[in-house]
Amino acid sequence: MNKKVSAKLQSRLNMFRDLGYQLTSKAMIMDFGCGSGATVQELRSLGYQSFGCDFEFKQEKGIDTEALATQGLIRLVDIQPYKLPFDYDTFDVVISDQVFEHVQDYPESISEINRILKPDGFCLHVFPARYKLIEPHVYVPLATVVRSSPWLYIWAALGIRNEHQGGLSVRDTVDRNKSYLSAHTNYLPKQRIREYFREYFSEVDFCEKLFLKYSARGRRVYALSKYLPFLSALYSAVHSRVVYAGKPVKNPE
């Protein structure tokens, strides 16, 4: 594996190591919410057995999404009933990045992730925190929790638009934001997230501090947190959640 690794993927591999997992080239890795398949493509270029799934595939420059889909390396999720398109006990690792804030039914998704993981597998999920100051999809301050029409109207009137809303009227922007936030985002409190994961996994931990340790943007916060411990807790509350969940090893009978 001499190929240069992207900073984001290297940070995840470093985190796996610190969590006690040394992945070999035989490791089966699934990207939950794979988008264009970029992470799948990069992992495969490094020699890992990687796959991905999503409700729809996005196009991204430099990523041969069509070829990945044709080869079955990225697959569409079954909707009714909801089912990830892989067999039981297939993967050593399931990862996701900026996906769980869109999950409407946590138990349904977590149950499926548990199903496709091997008995000693684990998953790692990075997603925006409930109290993130700027909602990352509509760019409205505190819209992770404040979604009333008057609040959304204030920011639309001030000219706040995402990259898809150029030229929209204030009213249309408010309507689109309210609809999107209601149907496509779900920012849960930390305790609720923990409860859902603990229904299906024996080990559940929030590891934002470990994420900061290997994040290019977060290393300064990590260094300062040694002297100001509250910084990592603040980061996890207002910026990103990082959830690790592991399955117990099945004892032979």
Side-chain angles (χ1 to χ4, degrees), residues 53-144:
C53 66
D54 212 323
F55 287 110
E56 61 180 353
F57 303 135
K58 300 177 182 178
Q59 299 300 314
E60 184 177 344
K61 185 177 180 180
I63 308 301
D64 196 344
T65 302
E66 184 176 351
L68 291 170
T70 300
Q71 297 171 56
L73 303 181
I74 58 175
R75 306 175 186 181
L76 293 173
V77 176
D78 295 329
I79 299 176
Q80 294 181 341
Y82 178 85
K83 184 180 180 181
L84 300 183
F86 301 99
D87 293 334
Y88 283 83
D89 301 342
T90 297
F91 295 100
D92 299 286
V93 187
V94 172
I95 58 174
S96 75
D97 186 30
Q98 315 302 312
V99 171
F100 258 90
E101 76 272 23
H102 300 297
V103 172
Q104 299 299 304
D105 189 331
Y106 267 58
E108 185 177 62
S109 294
I110 297 170
S111 173
E112 276 295 285
I113 290 171
N114 176 283
R115 180 184 66 80
I116 66 173
L117 276 169
K118 294 178 181 178
D120 56 349
F122 74 98
C123 58
L124 187 72
H125 307 284
V126 180
F127 52 100
R130 176 174 172 80
Y131 302 106
K132 193 173 180 69
L133 298 180
I134 305 295
E135 202 287 328
H137 304 94
V138 302
Y139 304 161
V140 173
L142 301 178
T144 51

Side-chain angles (χ1 to χ4, degrees), residues 101-102 104 129-130 135-138 140-153 155 171 174-175 177-188:
E101 76 272 23
H102 300 297
Q104 299 299 304
R130 176 174 172 80
E135 202 287 328
H137 304 94
V138 302
V140 173
L142 301 178
T144 51
V145 291
V146 183
R147 284 129 180 251
S148 66
S149 294
W151 182 254
L152 297 176
Y153 189 93
W155 297 101
R171 185 72 263 165
V174 171
D175 290 344
N177 284 346
K178 195 171 185 65
S179 176
Y180 179 85
L181 291 168
S182 175
H184 299 288
T185 67
N186 186 22
Y187 295 95
L188 298 182

